[in-house]
Amino acid sequence: MSKNQIDRCERNVIHQNIVDAVSGRMPDDTMIYNLAEFFKAFGDLTRIRILWALSESEMCVCDISALLNMTPSSISHQLRVLKQARLVKFRKAGKVVYYHLDDIHIRQVFDQGWQHIKERQ
Amino acid sequence: MSKNQIDRCERNVIHQNIVDAVSGRMPDDTMIYNLAEFFKAFGDLTRIRILWALSESEMCVCDISALLNMTPSSISHQLRVLKQARLVKFRKAGKVVYYHLDDIHIRQVFDQGWQHIKERQ
DNA sequence: GTGATATATGAGCACTTGTTCATATATTTC
DNA sequence: GAAATATATGAACAAGTGCTCATATATCAC
């Protein structure tokens, strides 16, 4: 027919019981939002490289910049994202700022993804 | 001075030994790329909701559409992304297509992130 | 076959994101 | 104090992303 766009499926094809059951257990928006933000922080080439590097060793912005062959500015921008997502922490020593992974969970999530990728080669 | 933009830090502040050591163990670009793509698939509100729903029960596009109160079209688009990232699989039954999580890793990554979020409330 | 319906897909558009460049801040050295 | 240097940050811009709408495909019922 295509006269008007169909926004919902008709009643008879929806498994109402399933929808209701799942709906009842749906976490609140804040939780979902935080979880998406958390994973989003992992979802970038540069940030994955940074996280991988930090999983090997604590490093300063300079080190990372040299390692990835990118400007300190872009690294700093990305470290800001990682800081906000609480994936990394830092300590200052004079002019130099050293970054390291925030906690064990980060490494676990990282390793889990890693393993998943490796298995499907 | 600020005459010209500084692209690299000076030699003396780089911890050359660390950079070299980490650089030697750096995974190849394809691996890094795949890992970033993998996490990217988790990094969206709608997709997290879909993944959460599928972690509770196998569901068809209609069900998900009704559950999230979004058009079947947008759900279908997102399921495509999740399919490509191999986070979900599907089975067809007549007109209806049922989606479910691809494998155990997905659930583990998901749960790990989830636990991380919950702990920092 | 036709009509209805579940899902998929391409184009378009608003919004987001990552990098670059210029500049600012902080710390050390003189 | 001034100069040098490590890092941070804001603006600008190109590239990417998610939704909407229109339309296509597939399956079922007749």
Side-chain angles (χ1 to χ4, degrees):
Chain A
M1 44 138 251
S2 84
K3 168 186 83 179
N4 213 353
Q5 219 237 344
I6 306 158
D7 280 324
R8 298 294 149 67
C9 306
E10 300 307 307
R11 263 298 147 119
N12 53 333
V13 294
I14 294 181
H15 307 76
Q16 194 67 50
N17 52 332
I18 293 181
V19 174
D20 288 345
V22 175
S23 180
R25 291 194 292 276
M26 189 64 124
D28 65 275
D29 283 358
T30 318
M31 289 285 269
I32 297 279
Y33 177 81
N34 288 338
L35 194 53
E37 288 303 304
F38 176 71
F39 283 122
K40 202 177 288 183
F42 286 91
D44 173 75
L45 261 172
T46 302
R47 289 197 296 273
I48 285 285
R49 286 199 178 97
I50 294 175
L51 289 170
W52 184 86
L54 296 183
S55 80
E56 292 284 316
S57 169
E58 180 186 65
M59 291 179 88
C60 69
V61 180
C62 258
D63 292 345
I64 303 171
S65 166
L67 175 69
L68 304 188
N69 199 33
M70 294 177 70
T71 62
S73 174
S74 62
I75 300 298
S76 186
H77 274 298
Q78 294 297 12
L79 283 169
R80 189 166 175 274
V81 175
L82 294 173
K83 250 186 297 184
Q84 277 171 179
R86 293 202 256 178
L87 302 196
V88 301
K89 277 203 165 76
F90 64 94
R91 65 180 177 89
K92 301 186 73 170
K95 291 180 292 190
V96 183
V97 182
Y98 293 94
Y99 284 86
H100 55 94
L101 293 188
D102 189 324
D103 75 350
I104 322 158
H105 283 194
I106 311 301
R107 193 178 298 265
Q108 282 173 335
V109 170
F110 198 72
D111 288 348
Q112 204 90 51
W114 197 256
Q115 204 181 331
H116 184 70
I117 295 302
K118 276 195 288 196
E119 277 181 24
R120 54 162 70 152
Q121 296 296 7
Chain B
M1 40 138 257
S2 85
K3 168 186 81 178
N4 211 353
Q5 219 235 346
I6 306 160
D7 280 323
R8 298 293 150 65
C9 306
E10 302 306 307
R11 263 297 147 119
N12 55 333
V13 295
I14 294 181
H15 307 76
Q16 194 66 51
N17 53 331
I18 293 180
V19 174
D20 288 346
V22 175
S23 180
R25 291 194 292 275
M26 189 63 124
D28 65 275
D29 284 358
T30 318
M31 288 285 268
I32 298 278
Y33 178 82
N34 287 338
L35 193 54
E37 287 303 305
F38 176 71
F39 283 122
K40 204 176 288 183
F42 286 92
D44 174 75
L45 263 171
T46 302
R47 288 197 296 271
I48 285 284
R49 284 199 179 97
I50 293 175
L51 289 170
W52 184 86
L54 296 184
S55 80
E56 292 284 316
S57 170
E58 180 185 64
M59 292 179 87
C60 70
V61 180
C62 258
D63 291 346
I64 303 171
S65 166
L67 175 68
L68 304 188
N69 200 32
M70 294 176 69
T71 63
S73 174
S74 61
I75 301 298
S76 186
H77 275 298
Q78 295 296 13
L79 284 168
R80 191 167 176 272
V81 175
L82 293 172
K83 250 186 297 183
Q84 279 173 178
R86 293 201 255 178
L87 301 195
V88 301
K89 277 203 165 77
F90 64 94
R91 65 181 178 90
K92 301 187 74 169
K95 290 180 291 190
V96 184
V97 182
Y98 293 95
Y99 284 86
H100 54 94
L101 293 188
D102 188 324
D103 74 352
I104 322 158
H105 282 196
I106 311 301
R107 193 177 296 264
Q108 282 173 337
V109 170
F110 199 71
D111 288 349
Q112 204 91 48
W114 196 256
Q115 203 181 330
H116 183 71
I117 294 303
K118 275 195 288 196
E119 277 181 24
R120 56 164 66 155
Q121 296 296 8

